[in-house]
Amino acid sequence: MHRAPDAGHRCGNRRGCLRGTRKDVLWEIEHWLISERDQRVFWLNGLAGTGKSTIAQTFAEAAFADGRLGASFFCSRDSTDRSNLQIIFPTLAFQLAYRYPHFREELLQVLKAIPDIGRESLCSQMENLIVGPLKSTRTPTLIIIDALDECKDEEPASAILSVLSRYMDEIPDVKFFITGRPEPRIRSGFRLPSLRPITEVFRLHDVERSSVDSDIKLFFRTQLTDIAKNRSDCDFTQDWPSPSDIEILCQKSAGFFIYASTVVKIVSIKHQIPTKQLERIISLPQNTSYEGRSGIDLLYTQVLEEAVGDELGEDNEEIHENFKAVVGAVLLVLNPLSVKALSDLLGVPGIPTTLRSLHSLLLVPDSQEDPIHTFHKSFPDFLTDKKRCKDKWFFVDPTVYHAEILLSCLNLMGKRLKRNICNLDDHAVLGEAQDLSSCKKGCIGEALEYACQFWTSHLLEIPGSSPCIEKVQEGIDQFFTTHLLYWIEALVLTGNLDTGVYAMNDVRQWYTSVSTFETICQGPYLYLIRLESSAGGQMTARGSS
């Protein structure tokens, strides 16, 4: 019976959590394990880089030491055996047989009767190798499957989870602890009607940020201090790393454990001086390129290739364009928008479908009314840097997609802005208007409010060399000649009138930088000069009016 000999928690060089870290998460898992509740499956759900496997390793070690762990399988995309679904159940059965003599006796009878069971379907494997012997021996145990998303699986819902959903009721004394990124097939698997009620879901990215930061600080302090102790060839100050260094590193990590691990690897490079390595990282507080090239970029590339690599290509131009438009907007908008607002702004169909494959990298809420966030700054840094993101299907050119967002803003304002957009009574006093908040939400909405507030910020990011420069100028000219007053009215209603002052300056600044003398003396720029003159020059400085 073929198995993966290095899939168990005691194989390889996998490391658990640093002592004293992830205590809150480990307590939740331990509480689930000893509880007699109906939830016999635990899904440790986390975005890429949040430390799922490290926690699984720590939990496996503790459960094994207490005699409660029956078997574990740590999946890996980098291993042929450990990414093969057909080997998971035979490997778990082997470990259970090694752990429980009575289980072994039952399993041997199965193997005598069905010698080729390892080649049969997953259902047959589960029924004969796992469920049958466990039912016969009534063995209470814990089974751990880590990084299930790293297995090759063509089913719309995880094949392993689909099988579990069919047989969990037959082995009520067995608990399954499973980790995996919230990818479509994993989410679909845990939503199966027979599995969902018995599954406890714990989202690592929802853990209180202060708790995560405390763990990351302890990790940095311990690991960097160990580096100093082991490098007798280097001179370290007594307080290295300093508290301020730790604070900066924690801020840059932003709850991203793989970032913290990558920093430690960079600082500990044998042929480099640790103090200089650390100084190099800290001296670039707003930049993640150095750390990215040292490990994070590879993670993002792998996740993207697995999530959407098969969908993008020369023969899928429409899917490709939609992907770039949606992801570009998520990364480049100045204020996070909801799925609904993105759909209204971009006019791109199927945004939820496009984002469905990116739940491992973006914080996509269940509600279409809540904003989408990037989990860590290194992800937009990676996708918008051509030197780091070398795959043309994934690279998001900021100049191109700032222009796309601007044109979408102008288009939306052109369609939706109108006189008395909230249908207020004549001579109404804004502060006394009834139910103005719900009126603004219904008549203006999130997407239009964003467009009114931020369109000129995107304009400033478009260089004069942009191929769509004429289209942008035409759009601005049309906007100023037909919708200027309606725009100001919308800014008043949303409490953003001061934005209009800044926006006028932004437009003038952009025209000055990209236009020739001939274009400066016509169109919206000339209109701005006249408007500014009539306003007594009050728009020459931000915040002056």
Side-chain angles (χ1 to χ4, degrees), residues 78-91:
D78 299 322
S79 166
T80 302
D81 285 348
R82 288 163 56 201
S83 61
N84 186 346
L85 294 176
Q86 288 291 130
I87 300 180
I88 291 181
F89 291 135
T91 302

Side-chain angles (χ1 to χ4, degrees), residues 225-267:
T225 300
D226 286 347
I227 291 172
K229 290 178 180 178
N230 295 325
R231 289 294 297 269
S232 58
D233 58 314
C234 302
D235 293 327
F236 296 92
T237 60
Q238 188 172 358
D239 67 339
W240 191 89
S242 69
S244 61
D245 290 342
I246 297 294
E247 192 65 37
I248 292 172
L249 290 176
C250 182
Q251 291 174 3
K252 291 192 72 175
S253 296
F256 199 46
F257 268 90
I258 196 171
Y259 174 89
S261 177
T262 300
V263 167
V264 170
K265 289 178 183 177
I266 294 171
V267 176

Side-chain angles (χ1 to χ4, degrees), residues 524-540:
Y525 186 78
L526 184 59
Y527 188 85
L528 281 173
I529 294 175
R530 291 172 178 167
L531 187 63
E532 186 178 89
S533 298
S534 65
Q538 292 186 8
M539 287 184 283
T540 57

Side-chain angles (χ1 to χ4, degrees), residues 158-309:
S158 166
I160 292 292
L161 296 178
S162 297
V163 172
L164 284 183
S165 70
R166 294 180 59 177
Y167 292 100
M168 283 300 296
D169 287 344
E170 298 187 35
I171 44 175
D173 297 323
V174 181
K175 291 193 171 186
F176 281 83
F177 176 84
I178 300 171
T179 77
R181 296 192 296 256
E183 293 185 348
R185 65 172 58 92
I186 303 296
R187 297 200 313 276
S188 297
F190 279 113
R191 288 171 180 164
L192 291 169
S194 54
L195 197 58
R196 190 169 193 167
I198 62 169
T199 300
E200 182 167 334
V201 181
F202 188 96
R203 296 177 176 84
L204 274 178
H205 42 275
D206 288 343
V207 174
E208 195 70 37
R209 178 62 183 276
S210 59
S211 174
V212 179
D213 284 350
S214 177
D215 288 345
I216 287 179
K217 287 178 183 178
L218 177 58
F219 175 82
F220 277 129
R221 196 177 301 114
T222 303
Q223 296 295 317
L224 296 178
T225 300
D226 286 347
I227 291 172
K229 290 178 180 178
N230 295 325
R231 289 294 297 269
S232 58
D233 58 314
C234 302
D235 293 327
F236 296 92
T237 60
Q238 188 172 358
D239 67 339
W240 191 89
S242 69
S244 61
D245 290 342
I246 297 294
E247 192 65 37
I248 292 172
L249 290 176
C250 182
Q251 291 174 3
K252 291 192 72 175
S253 296
F256 199 46
F257 268 90
I258 196 171
Y259 174 89
S261 177
T262 300
V263 167
V264 170
K265 289 178 183 177
I266 294 171
V267 176
S268 64
I269 294 174
K270 289 183 178 180
H271 304 295
Q272 298 291 339
I273 300 173
T275 52
K276 290 190 177 297
Q277 292 288 87
L278 182 60
E279 182 181 344
R280 184 174 183 180
I281 293 170
I282 289 176
S283 65
L284 300 170
Q286 302 302 321
N287 190 293
T288 63
S289 59
Y290 186 44
E291 302 94 306
R293 289 193 296 269
S294 300
I296 297 172
D297 291 356
L298 177 60
L299 170 71
Y300 289 143
T301 300
Q302 288 176 333
V303 174
L304 284 168
E305 286 177 348
E306 290 176 7
V308 294

Side-chain angles (χ1 to χ4, degrees), residues 29-31 33-35 59-60 62-71 96 99-100 140-143 175:
I29 299 170
E30 177 67 21
H31 181 67
L33 181 60
I34 64 177
S35 171
F59 178 50
F64 179 80
D66 292 342
R68 292 176 293 185
L69 179 66
L96 288 167
R99 173 73 177 80
Y100 305 111
T141 191
L142 167 69
I143 294 174
K175 291 193 171 186

